[in-house]
Every structure is written in structure tokens, then in C-alpha cells.
Amino acid sequence: MKFYSTNNSQHKVSLREAVLKGLAPDGGLYLPEQIPVLPKSFIGSLSEQSNVSMALTVARNLLGGEVEEKELQRIVEQTVFFDVPVVEVENNVYSLELFHGPTLAFKDFGARFMASLLGYFSKSEKEEITVLVATSGDTGSAVAHGFHKVPGVRVFVLYPSGKVSDLQEKQFTTLGDNITALEIDGTFDDCQRLVKTAFQDAELKSKLVLTSANSINIARLIPQSFYYFFTLAQLGLKEPVVFSIPSGNFGNLTGGILAWKMGLPIYQFIASTNVNDIVPCYLDNGKFNPRPSIQTISNAMDVGNPSNFARMLTLFHDDYYEMTQMIKGYSFTDEETREGMRAVDKQSGYTLDPHGAVGYLGLKKYQTSHSVKGVFLETAHPGKFREVVEETLGRKIELPERLNNLITRQKKSIEMSSTFDEFREFLLKY
Ligand SMILES: *Cc1c(COP(=O)(O)O)cnc(C)c1O
């Protein structure tokens, strides 16, 4: 399987190059040149298969021939070793709990898959690989944990100072070793711009083997298609199922599109956002207007220029009509999000995190005019956003042990302005 750039379908590279480059030289994002439809017999027997076996079939389908079978199996096993339960919250409303991994958010899937894959590629690389990652919270922790102590790989996590929760910050500033946290005086968009600019800098590119672990990396994207299969394995295929995806950079939703293109019978996607509603607006009026992000309580989705939009367009062949048939978009204010969290807490005792709550609200809105079974992605454990959750629900929530242990650990970060020159000098000197 080769991978092409969304800016030029003639520009094709190997998986290794796509993963190491992150972004194509023309600024496009990589996609597999084909998305083979899986056999009906595979889809029909999902409920009889283990998560590892489903994930391995999907990975093989998209990476065919680029990774030795034994290694691919090892990579998949290191990615999906934790539970991925589908929990009934209300009649016809299910929560796909993606937060049972090491850092309690769905980004563990992409980060662990990419770390294992890069570890495999680095064996034949003479120089150390430098991974750059911009984060609004969860990416940084998942990537830091996934890559911690992977030989031959150094990681720089860029995050906006004061704009991530204390526990999130602890998750990527306390590891040390090959993980360095850069605390940027700016927004998430500034962090993302610094990373993107680094990839266009000739001197940096010639002196370092640079790659990005942001959701633009194809190695992050592919494992995000796995759990759509796991969900239908648990719910069965008898009735149509819609998925509501709380979105920021739209990696999760793009993973869903891949699963659908591989033949998984998904009836509808719902793109649920906070007030950073660039994609819902596009679905509404056909105009894509990126703009500076607005801070909200679902801060991992505070994205003003969703990077995976280019992939979504390409996967729908730039066909606006086709995209709007398959994806509906809704956005919600913080107040609506908090009301949703309180209502669910009261009615069913289920604790939503602010991101999952946006997904829940999108699903409920869709269901007011469609009587259909629906799943929302619960993308993080509520404990990761305990300040907001406790303040909203007016009660304490229990923290999982893994988070509790972090509270007393010492944060270590390097403070930096959001100017590219300073970042560039730092990388060259490091
Ligand atoms: C990253 C993240 C999102 C947004 O996911 P995208 O793939 O960027 O759309 C949603 N919720 C949580 C908790 C996240 O960490």
C-alpha cells in the first residue's frame, strides 16, 4: 500500500516515509491510495472476533505489505490491550468508552500505535528520530506515555500555557527521559503553527529526522478506525447505528469515515462541536472559514482550523452533497454542555466529561427527528476534567488511581514565546 498527499494524488510514498514526514512536502496530508472493502464474511462475523483480531484485519487492510505480519500483530497488541466497552446510557443512546487506556483518553489508541510503529522503523534509522507534537491536552499525555522510553526517539510536547487542566499537564510534564514539555505563551493554534512551520524549515529538516505525532500523522489516524468495528461487534448489525463524534481536529471522525469506506455499515455520522463550529458551518452553507479558536470547557476541541478537514474533503471526492448526506453537524455552547452533563447525571447517574457531553448532545439533537440507535464517543474519563465536572455537577467525583498518583509529582517544562525563531533556535541547539 502506498500513501498519497491530499494536495497531489500523484505524490505517493511508502508508509515509512508517510509516518516519518507526517505532513507531505506540498503541505497535504497522507491517505492510503486505496481503501479496500473488507469481505462481507468479516463484517458479518464481527461479534465472534476479539478486538485484536478485528484491529489486525483492519490494519492489514490499510497497511498491506508495509509491515511484517508478526510485527504488525505486536503493534496491534500493544495498542488495543485495554477494554473498549459500549455502555447503554438511555434507551437507544450508548456511550463508547474510549478512556480505559493508560492516559484515560481515546488518543491512547493513535499514540500507542504510532509509537510502536516508529519504534519498528527506528531500528533501521541511524539518527535519533525527533517527534514534535502540539497539544491542547490529551494528545500530549497520550503521546508522552506512548513514546516514553522508546529507544531512538525524542519527543517535544508543545502546549499552550495555562490552557490545559492541571492533571493533563502533569501527565506530560512529569515523565522526563526522552520526553520534554515546552510551555508556549500562546494558544493551541500557535503551538500547531510552530510545529507546521518547523516542517517547512530547510535547516531543521536537514539537521534532524523530524516527525509529527499530531493527528495529521497517518499512523495516528488508522487505529482510530478500529473502535467503530468494536462497537458494531458489541451492538450487532440488525439495526442501523449512527455515531456522534465530539470533534476538534476531526481525526476521530475521519477514522470513522475510513471504517465506513471499508464496508462497516454506519448509517450516519454526527459532527458535534463546541462553539468552534467551523465544520458544522461548512456542512450548513458550504463555506470553510477557519478562524482563531475560542476557549471552552471542552478544551481538547478548541480548534479553529481543523487539520483533518482536507482528508474529509478528499475522502468525499470534494463532493459537498455526498458529505452532507453522510455527516450532520451540530454545535453547543458551554452552558448547553453543562446542562447536558447535569441532565444525564440526574436521569441515569452516568458521568459525562465535557467532550463526551458534546457528543451526547449532538446525538440527542439528531434523534429528535430520527428514531435510530445511536452511539456517542466518550473520548475522555471525566476525572481528567474534574474541575469542570465537579463544578458543574456540584459534587466530588472519584479519580482513577492513575490520575491520583500524578497529583504529587513535580511538573517540569521549558517556557517559550510563540515566535518561530525562538523555537527553531532551541531545536537546533538541543
Ligand atoms: C482530541 C480530543 C477530542 C477531539 O478529537 P479530534 O480527533 O481532534 O476531533 C475530543 N475529546 C477529547 C477528550 C480529546 O482529547
Side-chain angles (χ1 to χ4, degrees), residues 141 144-145 159 164-175 403 405-412:
S141 34
H145 278 258
Y159 72 102
V164 303
S165 80
D166 59 342
L167 281 172
Q168 280 182 322
E169 188 176 27
K170 287 273 168 90
Q171 282 186 311
F172 53 78
T173 55
T174 58
L175 288 168
L403 283 183
N405 291 342
L406 278 173
I407 293 178
T408 53
R409 298 191 55 183
Q410 196 61 35
K411 159 187 158 181
K412 254 198 206 149

Side-chain angles (χ1 to χ4, degrees), residues 34-50:
Q34 287 158 19
I35 301 168
V37 175
L38 288 159
K40 285 221 163 63
S41 57
F42 168 75
I43 304 285
S45 65
L46 289 179
S47 61
E48 291 145 41
Q49 299 178 51
S50 69

